[in-house]
Amino acid sequence: MQIPIKNVGNERLVDAFQRHYYYLRLSITDQCNFRCNYCLPNGYQPEANKPSFLTLSEITRVARAFAAMGTEKIRLTGGEPTLRKDFLTIAESVANVEGIRHVALTTNGYRMAKDVADWKRAGVTSVNVSVDSLDPRMFHQITGINKFDEVMRGIDRAFDVGYHKVKVNSVLMKNLNDHEFNQFLAWVKNRPIQMRFIELMQTGEMDSFFERHHLSGEILAQKLLSQGWQLQQRAATDGPAKVFSHPDYQGEIGLIMPYEKNFCASCNRLRVSAKGKLHLCLFGEEGIELRDLLQSEEQQGVLQSRIFSALQGKREHHYLHQGDSGIRNHLASIGG
Ligand code: SAM
Ligand code: SF4
């Protein structure tokens, strides 16, 4: 049974710097079947004796608490979220929570060609799929998996089943796939794809990888502006990308530049890990335990109060540009 909002307090998700949080990134598993060289180069390693991932009921309670506090958009992420056998039930359950208007999915796309119609039926309103290269060999080299053709078929299928736009994520890296920048632009010329270049973030699993391959998003922004692309306005539930459009292109380009100084000023998102910890920032904190308050419907009020007080401690910005690495082991544990 869903508890009416008025019975459980009226805290909205606003922090000490008047930022509103409309957007939750909810990781539902750490597990992944890819081995992206910037994320899980050695593949997913299960940790012995660690708590299992959130159950369907726990996930639904997270969604209800956030929705009651003003969250309108939930992104299901991971690890690879579609590896969960109950993925469709999870998507459906989150989509049915009162107040949730958008259920987005971030996926590596390995099941997309087969399952995207079911995702749509379950209530997934938008799909982001990671494609780090348009060259099958480079795709294999970066992801450790030879599934380029399946992922491409998945994108075509998404349009067939009625998605009007697909977002594609790519981590553009120096001396690996950065020479494909123009090819990616050409690819979206006549396709309604928002191509999003994510700047490589340093994690604990990287040794010299970051120094060798990090490419500043600022360089890409300058290239786009010089080629007639224009920066668009953001909406309240938009993600962190700076989005550019061009009159000659059907697609759009998004740049995600976490090292940029003002990246945090427009922060509108919180994260919950697959084991039930609230993360106020992608970088540098341990997370606040929520799982003990996800065990029954009656706990929703206390859960909301814990989330609200934690949010008041959210820092104004991360300190990456001042040399604080804020390093996490990898982003698969928190959904990127
Ligand atoms: N497995 C799904 C996928 O790959 O789309 C969802 C989880 S993945 C952690 C989410 C996003 O984070 C992906 O687009 C991935 O490219 C990005 N990501 C992972 N590690 C990263 C890193 N070190 N720097 C930048 N982006 C990263
Ligand atoms: Fe898996 Fe996504 Fe990480 Fe690649 S980026 S290893 S697909 S979680």
mmCIF file of all heavy atoms in Angstrom, residues 17-18 28 40 76 144 147 151 170 214 272 275 307 323 330:
data_model
loop_
_atom_site.group_PDB
_atom_site.id
_atom_site.type_symbol
_atom_site.label_atom_id
_atom_site.label_comp_id
_atom_site.label_asym_id
_atom_site.label_seq_id
_atom_site.Cartn_x
_atom_site.Cartn_y
_atom_site.Cartn_z
ATOM 1 N N PHE A 17 22.350 24.867 -0.304
ATOM 2 C CA PHE A 17 22.708 25.843 -1.340
ATOM 3 C C PHE A 17 21.557 26.054 -2.312
ATOM 4 O O PHE A 17 21.746 26.491 -3.445
ATOM 5 C CB PHE A 17 23.982 25.373 -2.072
ATOM 6 C CG PHE A 17 25.103 25.126 -1.107
ATOM 7 C CD1 PHE A 17 25.375 23.835 -0.655
ATOM 8 C CD2 PHE A 17 25.844 26.173 -0.596
ATOM 9 C CE1 PHE A 17 26.373 23.596 0.269
ATOM 10 C CE2 PHE A 17 26.847 25.944 0.333
ATOM 11 C CZ PHE A 17 27.108 24.657 0.771
ATOM 12 N N GLN A 18 20.334 25.676 -1.843
ATOM 13 C CA GLN A 18 19.090 25.861 -2.616
ATOM 14 C C GLN A 18 19.062 25.077 -3.923
ATOM 15 O O GLN A 18 18.365 25.446 -4.861
ATOM 16 C CB GLN A 18 18.824 27.367 -2.880
ATOM 17 C CG GLN A 18 18.575 28.169 -1.627
ATOM 18 C CD GLN A 18 17.518 27.529 -0.725
ATOM 19 O OE1 GLN A 18 16.408 27.232 -1.155
ATOM 20 N NE2 GLN A 18 17.873 27.256 0.531
ATOM 21 N N ILE A 28 21.006 -0.910 -9.226
ATOM 22 C CA ILE A 28 20.295 -2.104 -8.767
ATOM 23 C C ILE A 28 21.186 -3.345 -8.752
ATOM 24 O O ILE A 28 20.771 -4.394 -8.302
ATOM 25 C CB ILE A 28 18.977 -2.340 -9.559
ATOM 26 C CG1 ILE A 28 19.233 -2.520 -11.057
ATOM 27 C CG2 ILE A 28 17.999 -1.211 -9.309
ATOM 28 C CD1 ILE A 28 17.975 -2.927 -11.846
ATOM 29 N N LEU A 40 35.784 -1.713 -15.179
ATOM 30 C CA LEU A 40 36.062 -3.009 -14.539
ATOM 31 C C LEU A 40 37.026 -3.784 -15.436
ATOM 32 O O LEU A 40 36.649 -4.780 -16.054
ATOM 33 C CB LEU A 40 34.762 -3.813 -14.392
ATOM 34 C CG LEU A 40 33.682 -3.291 -13.454
ATOM 35 C CD1 LEU A 40 32.425 -4.148 -13.544
ATOM 36 C CD2 LEU A 40 34.187 -3.252 -12.009
ATOM 37 N N LEU A 76 17.653 3.845 -13.611
ATOM 38 C CA LEU A 76 18.107 2.529 -13.165
ATOM 39 C C LEU A 76 19.459 2.271 -13.805
ATOM 40 O O LEU A 76 19.614 2.361 -15.031
ATOM 41 C CB LEU A 76 17.099 1.453 -13.580
ATOM 42 C CG LEU A 76 15.697 1.654 -13.008
ATOM 43 C CD1 LEU A 76 14.736 0.616 -13.566
ATOM 44 C CD2 LEU A 76 15.701 1.595 -11.482
ATOM 45 N N GLY A 144 36.094 -5.217 -23.744
ATOM 46 C CA GLY A 144 36.451 -6.608 -23.468
ATOM 47 C C GLY A 144 35.443 -7.594 -24.037
ATOM 48 O O GLY A 144 35.547 -8.790 -23.781
ATOM 49 N N LYS A 147 30.599 -7.426 -28.870
ATOM 50 C CA LYS A 147 29.148 -7.360 -29.064
ATOM 51 C C LYS A 147 28.707 -6.084 -29.778
ATOM 52 O O LYS A 147 27.577 -5.614 -29.609
ATOM 53 C CB LYS A 147 28.439 -7.436 -27.705
ATOM 54 C CG LYS A 147 28.546 -8.787 -27.025
ATOM 55 C CD LYS A 147 27.199 -9.212 -26.435
ATOM 56 C CE LYS A 147 27.261 -10.559 -25.760
ATOM 57 N NZ LYS A 147 27.116 -11.678 -26.668
ATOM 58 N N VAL A 151 24.775 -4.486 -30.084
ATOM 59 C CA VAL A 151 24.417 -3.197 -29.474
ATOM 60 C C VAL A 151 23.836 -2.262 -30.545
ATOM 61 O O VAL A 151 22.820 -1.591 -30.327
ATOM 62 C CB VAL A 151 25.643 -2.577 -28.762
ATOM 63 C CG1 VAL A 151 25.322 -1.189 -28.236
ATOM 64 C CG2 VAL A 151 26.094 -3.475 -27.609
ATOM 65 N N SER A 170 29.592 7.734 -24.513
ATOM 66 C CA SER A 170 30.904 7.281 -24.942
ATOM 67 C C SER A 170 31.968 7.996 -24.123
ATOM 68 O O SER A 170 31.911 9.219 -23.957
ATOM 69 C CB SER A 170 31.065 7.612 -26.428
ATOM 70 O OG SER A 170 32.320 7.207 -26.844
ATOM 71 N N HIS A 214 43.284 10.448 -20.352
ATOM 72 C CA HIS A 214 42.293 11.488 -20.047
ATOM 73 C C HIS A 214 42.305 12.592 -21.107
ATOM 74 O O HIS A 214 43.357 13.080 -21.513
ATOM 75 C CB HIS A 214 42.590 12.106 -18.663
ATOM 76 C CG HIS A 214 41.690 13.261 -18.363
ATOM 77 N ND1 HIS A 214 42.117 14.567 -18.368
ATOM 78 C CD2 HIS A 214 40.362 13.296 -18.095
ATOM 79 C CE1 HIS A 214 41.089 15.366 -18.098
ATOM 80 N NE2 HIS A 214 40.019 14.624 -17.934
ATOM 81 N N VAL A 272 21.669 6.266 -5.084
ATOM 82 C CA VAL A 272 21.557 5.202 -4.097
ATOM 83 C C VAL A 272 22.241 3.980 -4.701
ATOM 84 O O VAL A 272 21.988 3.615 -5.851
ATOM 85 C CB VAL A 272 20.086 4.909 -3.721
ATOM 86 C CG1 VAL A 272 19.982 3.655 -2.868
ATOM 87 C CG2 VAL A 272 19.478 6.101 -2.973
ATOM 88 N N LYS A 275 23.518 -1.520 -2.777
ATOM 89 C CA LYS A 275 23.410 -2.099 -1.435
ATOM 90 C C LYS A 275 22.716 -1.152 -0.473
ATOM 91 O O LYS A 275 22.737 -1.362 0.748
ATOM 92 C CB LYS A 275 24.788 -2.506 -0.943
ATOM 93 C CG LYS A 275 25.290 -3.705 -1.752
ATOM 94 C CD LYS A 275 26.673 -4.146 -1.396
ATOM 95 C CE LYS A 275 27.075 -5.301 -2.305
ATOM 96 N NZ LYS A 275 28.502 -5.522 -2.298
ATOM 97 N N ILE A 307 17.053 10.942 4.868
ATOM 98 C CA ILE A 307 17.550 11.431 3.568
ATOM 99 C C ILE A 307 17.677 12.957 3.611
ATOM 100 O O ILE A 307 18.673 13.543 3.203
ATOM 101 C CB ILE A 307 16.595 10.999 2.431
ATOM 102 C CG1 ILE A 307 16.564 9.469 2.313
ATOM 103 C CG2 ILE A 307 16.986 11.638 1.108
ATOM 104 C CD1 ILE A 307 15.457 8.909 1.423
ATOM 105 N N GLY A 323 42.747 19.077 -6.654
ATOM 106 C CA GLY A 323 43.697 17.995 -6.396
ATOM 107 C C GLY A 323 43.171 16.916 -5.464
ATOM 108 O O GLY A 323 43.830 15.920 -5.228
ATOM 109 N N HIS A 330 35.736 2.017 -8.563
ATOM 110 C CA HIS A 330 35.252 2.047 -9.945
ATOM 111 C C HIS A 330 33.839 2.596 -9.883
ATOM 112 O O HIS A 330 33.263 2.712 -8.792
ATOM 113 C CB HIS A 330 35.284 0.655 -10.572
ATOM 114 C CG HIS A 330 34.628 -0.391 -9.721
ATOM 115 N ND1 HIS A 330 33.269 -0.427 -9.542
ATOM 116 C CD2 HIS A 330 35.132 -1.404 -8.978
ATOM 117 C CE1 HIS A 330 32.974 -1.433 -8.732
ATOM 118 N NE2 HIS A 330 34.086 -2.040 -8.378
#
